[in-house]
Amino acid sequence: MNEQPSEFCQEKIQILKDYVEKGEEIISKIEDWESLAAILEERDELIVKLQKLELKICENGSGNGCSLEQKNQIDNLVKLILDLDKNCIHLIKAEQQKTLQELKKNQQNQKVADYEISLTPSYGTFLDAKK
């Protein structure tokens, strides 16, 4: 029965490593925000998989059963995930601000363009100075 907890720990470590990879993928594709939804969905699937694994461990009553090395590896992966998530949040907020500023600038340019267009007569009437 000692193999089963170790097997669960190895599976948990692998899921956490996959989660770290998804976090790195988010950071590398932060400017391609259209692909972020798919990556986040894959991360959510990993979370569900991890929750199911935890339930399976609780149902078997095997407890934690991880070796000290495995516990340390899990702790380090969780810390790395937290750091990655903080970094992702920071980068996403920065990208939001950048996009917002670009939208404001675009809107301002459109207003200027509309103003310039309205200065020219649109129906071709001219004033005669002699009249």
Side-chain angles (χ1 to χ4, degrees), residues 29-92:
K29 294 184 178 184
I30 199 74
E31 291 181 3
D32 183 20
W33 53 268
E34 293 170 339
S35 66
L36 290 181
I39 298 169
L40 291 172
E41 188 175 319
E42 291 171 5
R43 265 183 28 160
D44 289 345
E45 290 172 8
L46 289 171
I47 291 171
V48 169
K49 195 174 179 181
L50 188 61
Q51 288 172 337
K52 287 180 181 178
L53 180 67
E54 292 289 333
L55 283 175
K56 206 184 282 187
I57 290 172
C58 290
E59 287 174 0
N60 288 344
S62 56
N64 196 346
C66 295
S67 69
L68 184 60
E69 181 183 328
Q70 288 173 325
K71 286 180 185 180
N72 289 336
Q73 192 174 6
I74 290 170
D75 287 343
N76 289 336
L77 285 169
V78 170
K79 288 176 186 175
L80 180 60
I81 288 169
L82 290 173
D83 289 341
L84 280 172
D85 283 351
K86 286 178 186 177
N87 198 7
C88 287
I89 290 168
H90 176 72
L91 290 173
I92 288 171

Side-chain angles (χ1 to χ4, degrees), residues 1-2 4 10-11 16 26 29 42 46 52 60-61 70 73-74 86 88 97-98 116 118 125-126 128:
M1 193 156 182
N2 197 15
Q4 206 171 13
Q10 287 300 323
E11 192 173 346
L16 291 173
I26 289 171
K29 294 184 178 184
E42 291 171 5
L46 289 171
K52 287 180 181 178
N60 288 344
Q70 288 173 325
Q73 192 174 6
I74 290 170
K86 286 178 186 177
C88 287
Q97 288 299 319
K98 179 181 157 188
E116 288 175 355
S118 66
T125 57
F126 295 96
D128 191 2

